[in-house]
Amino acid sequence: MPQKHPDSAQIIQDNRDYTLFSWSAQAALSPIHMTGGQGSHFFDGNGDRWLDFSSQLININVGHQHPKVMQAIKDQVDQMCFAGPSFATDVRAKLGKKLAEVTGLAKSFFTLGGSEANENAMKMACLYTGRDKIMTRYRSYHGATMGSMTASGDPRRWPVEPGIPGIVRVFDPYMYRPPMGGSAEAWADGCITHIEEVIQMEGPHTIAAMLVEGITGSNGILIPPDDYYPRLRALLDKYGILLIDDEVMSGFGRTGKWLATQHYGIKPDIVTCAKGLTSGYMPLGAVIVSDKIAQYFEDHFLAGGLTYSGHPVSLAAAIANLQVYEDENLFEHTLEMGAHLGQRLEAMKKKYACVGDVRYIGLFSVLELVKDKQTKEPLAPFNGTSPEMNKFAAHVKSKHVYAYTRFNWAFVCPPLVVTREELDHGLDVYEEGLALVDEMIGKSTVAAD
């Protein structure tokens, strides 16, 4: 249970004085001193409980401090802490077999996170096809290593450009904001045609793979039309281009299935994963490849490796974590809670003038906030913020609900163990914040009904 830590202020100051935090101008930081957690909540140094409405970085899927995952880590430490990447271990065999079972693919290459997984997936695709280019989407994030960062469309890539060569970007299935001002209906049909035209202009023989997030995550939870993935799969097959499915954020139960693309009835050639693979308890990522790619590397050199590939403690955490998903029926629970979440979000869209759109699948959701529903003017600019967004975020934080807000988006991505009561409490706090935003933009909640 949470307890006040007598040295909390000093711990925060030492963190600021001696460590660097990611994606931040350091002087603007005011980090929370996190001391522990349980289920859907974490605790701070003041003895307060926070409802974790973003699952940390959308990865604490089984909740904080799950005893079965913690015990698996302890047991593995007692047995063997480390084995080099060229050794066979029981946990390596067991997790590889399980991942083949749940994805329908063949073999796994283990990394320490999603960035490394995407980096190696792109490398494998180029080695297998003999081609040099990777297609990605503009509203995407694939990691912070040089290759995965270049592959991202996210503006976080700008400071490190030009990055690696060979990345080709296309527009996304962003149905609320179709590119070039077209209609959602026209874009639902045209988004695949657009990709084919880019393929033809780039030269199909030069493109190794298309790298996509199963469901776009930190760039707005973009839910594609139902036929998007079947049409994309057929298009890429037409030109002999591999499909790499980045399930780092959307995979392992977040949408109610092992992989988000399983909702659409397609099988990728390569799947990358991390986050929900261990629910963040230990660092681990994986590149899971189809049988034809696995067979290629039987007699072709796999030019890739990591000191900590196949780290036994991380693999043990993953095995236990995947077992928790099944033993506790968390995918079914996610779909049940997701249906309730969807109803609440749709009601907010009707009630509040500032809610332009809501998008959700399982417990993976976002509210897109606007200044005007007719014009769809964002409440904050792309890659920026605004007083209204700051007001919303500050209110939610003041109620000890830990939320992820970015640009004009407010995400709702709690742990998969969240209860209906916890979910409703967090959403009630969001509604209070939305009412404050409506006041700021001078539009009443009633008028939006």
Side-chain angles (χ1 to χ4, degrees):
M1 295 303 293
Q3 293 181 340
K4 187 175 179 64
H5 197 295
D7 299 321
S8 185
Q10 186 60 52
I11 289 170
I12 292 173
Q13 190 60 52
D14 286 348
N15 273 258
R16 286 282 289 106
D17 288 346
Y18 300 110
T19 72
L20 292 169
F21 290 80
S22 57
W23 306 121
S24 302
Q26 304 299 298
L29 286 169
S30 180
I32 298 168
H33 174 206
M34 184 172 167
T35 60
Q38 188 67 49
S40 298
H41 293 82
F42 66 86
F43 315 139
D44 70 15
N46 293 322
D48 293 317
R49 299 178 71 224
W50 292 69
L51 178 59
D52 195 346
F53 239 37
S54 69
S55 304
Q56 293 298 291
L57 286 178
I58 313 183
N59 64 329
I60 303 288
N61 286 4
V62 299
H64 293 268
Q65 301 296 102
H66 196 290
K68 291 182 179 179
V69 183
M70 291 195 299
Q71 189 61 51
I73 294 169
K74 295 172 185 176
D75 291 345
Q76 184 60 49
V77 167
D78 287 342
Q79 178 188 340
M80 179 176 63
C81 283
F82 180 72
S86 61
F87 287 84
T89 64
D90 58 343
V91 285
R92 180 172 180 151
K94 188 172 183 179
L95 182 58
K97 184 176 181 181
K98 184 64 176 180
L99 291 177
E101 172 191 319
V102 301
T103 64
L105 298 176
K107 288 188 177 183
S108 293
F109 176 82
F110 294 114
T111 69
L112 265 288
S115 297
E116 290 176 345
N118 285 323
E119 195 90 14
N120 281 279
M122 291 189 289
K123 190 185 300 182
M124 289 181 192
C126 292
L127 290 169
Y128 173 77
T129 62
R131 302 175 182 180
D132 299 324
K133 294 177 184 174
I134 303 291
M135 294 184 70
T136 66
R137 299 187 296 208
Y138 272 104
R139 296 181 183 273
S140 65
Y141 180 73
H142 297 294
T145 53
M146 188 59 77
S148 60
M149 187 80 265
T150 310
S152 303
D154 189 292
R156 282 174 284 185
R157 80 178 193 274
W158 297 345
V160 299
E161 286 184 322
I164 67 168
I167 300 299
V168 178
R169 298 185 185 88
V170 297
F171 288 114
D172 311 73
Y174 191 1
M175 310 318 296
Y176 183 62
R177 297 185 186 277
M180 294 162 284
S183 68
E185 293 76 18
W187 185 235
D189 180 64
C191 56
I192 299 298
T193 304
H194 154 70
I195 295 172
E196 181 164 26
E197 187 167 356
V198 172
I199 290 172
Q200 291 170 347
M201 295 299 100
E202 290 290 335
H205 63 288
T206 70
I207 303 171
M210 183 169 180
L211 169 61
V212 300
E213 291 175 272
I215 298 292
T216 298
S218 57
N219 283 274
I221 314 288
L222 306 182
I223 312 294
D226 289 344
D227 65 347
Y228 177 86
Y229 273 119
R231 291 176 63 202
L232 180 63
R233 174 78 273 185
L235 173 65
L236 299 180
D237 287 345
K238 176 180 176 181
Y239 293 105
I241 298 170
L242 300 178
L243 176 59
I244 305 173
D245 176 18
D246 176 350
E247 294 279 355
V248 171
M249 190 173 284
S250 60
F252 294 90
R254 178 54 55 182
T255 69
K257 289 186 179 291
W258 291 106
L259 307 176
T261 49
Q262 289 173 344
H263 289 279
Y264 303 95
I266 62 115
K267 184 186 293 186
D269 299 291
I270 301 175
V271 165
T272 59
C273 56
K275 292 185 184 288
L277 181 56
T278 68
S279 288
Y281 282 57
M282 290 294 295
L284 183 67
V287 184
I288 314 167
V289 301
S290 67
D291 184 65
K292 63 183 181 181
I293 297 173
Q295 288 302 315
Y296 175 84
F297 288 113
E298 286 294 301
D299 52 16
H300 291 81
F301 184 65
L302 175 55
L306 300 158
T307 299
Y308 300 107
S309 177
H311 195 288
V313 184
S314 294
L315 300 182
I319 292 166
N321 180 68
L322 302 189
Q323 194 64 48
V324 168
Y325 288 144
E326 295 184 312
D327 289 348
E328 300 185 9
N329 299 313
L330 286 187
F331 294 1
E332 293 84 352
H333 179 73
T334 295
L335 293 173
E336 180 184 348
M337 291 299 101
H340 178 63
L341 170 60
Q343 292 173 354
R344 287 288 309 264
L345 293 177
E346 292 289 353
M348 291 183 201
K349 182 179 176 181
K350 291 181 179 179
K351 183 175 182 181
Y352 296 98
C354 63
V355 181
D357 194 30
V358 293
R359 298 183 287 274
Y360 48 90
I361 180 169
L363 288 171
F364 203 31
S365 69
V366 72
L367 299 94
E368 178 152 353
L369 305 185
V370 297
K371 294 182 178 180
D372 186 282
K373 285 192 177 185
Q374 296 304 313
T375 66
K376 300 183 182 180
E377 180 184 357
L379 196 64
F382 180 71
N383 200 36
T385 188
S386 67
E388 294 87 356
M389 284 301 300
N390 290 338
K391 181 76 169 180
F392 174 85
H395 175 78
V396 172
K397 185 176 182 180
S398 74
K399 298 292 186 177
H400 293 110
V401 173
Y402 186 71
Y404 178 38
T405 58
R406 187 176 191 229
F407 308 167
N408 65 317
W409 302 315
F411 294 79
V412 183
C413 305
L416 307 188
V417 297
V418 71
T419 66
R420 180 164 176 156
E421 292 73 23
E422 291 168 338
L423 188 58
D424 279 335
H425 169 67
L427 294 173
D428 288 346
V429 171
Y430 270 44
E431 290 209 46
E432 294 169 2
L434 296 173
L436 294 175
V437 172
D438 274 4
E439 291 178 9
M440 291 184 73
I441 64 175
K443 296 183 178 181
S444 71
T445 296
V446 175
D449 288 339

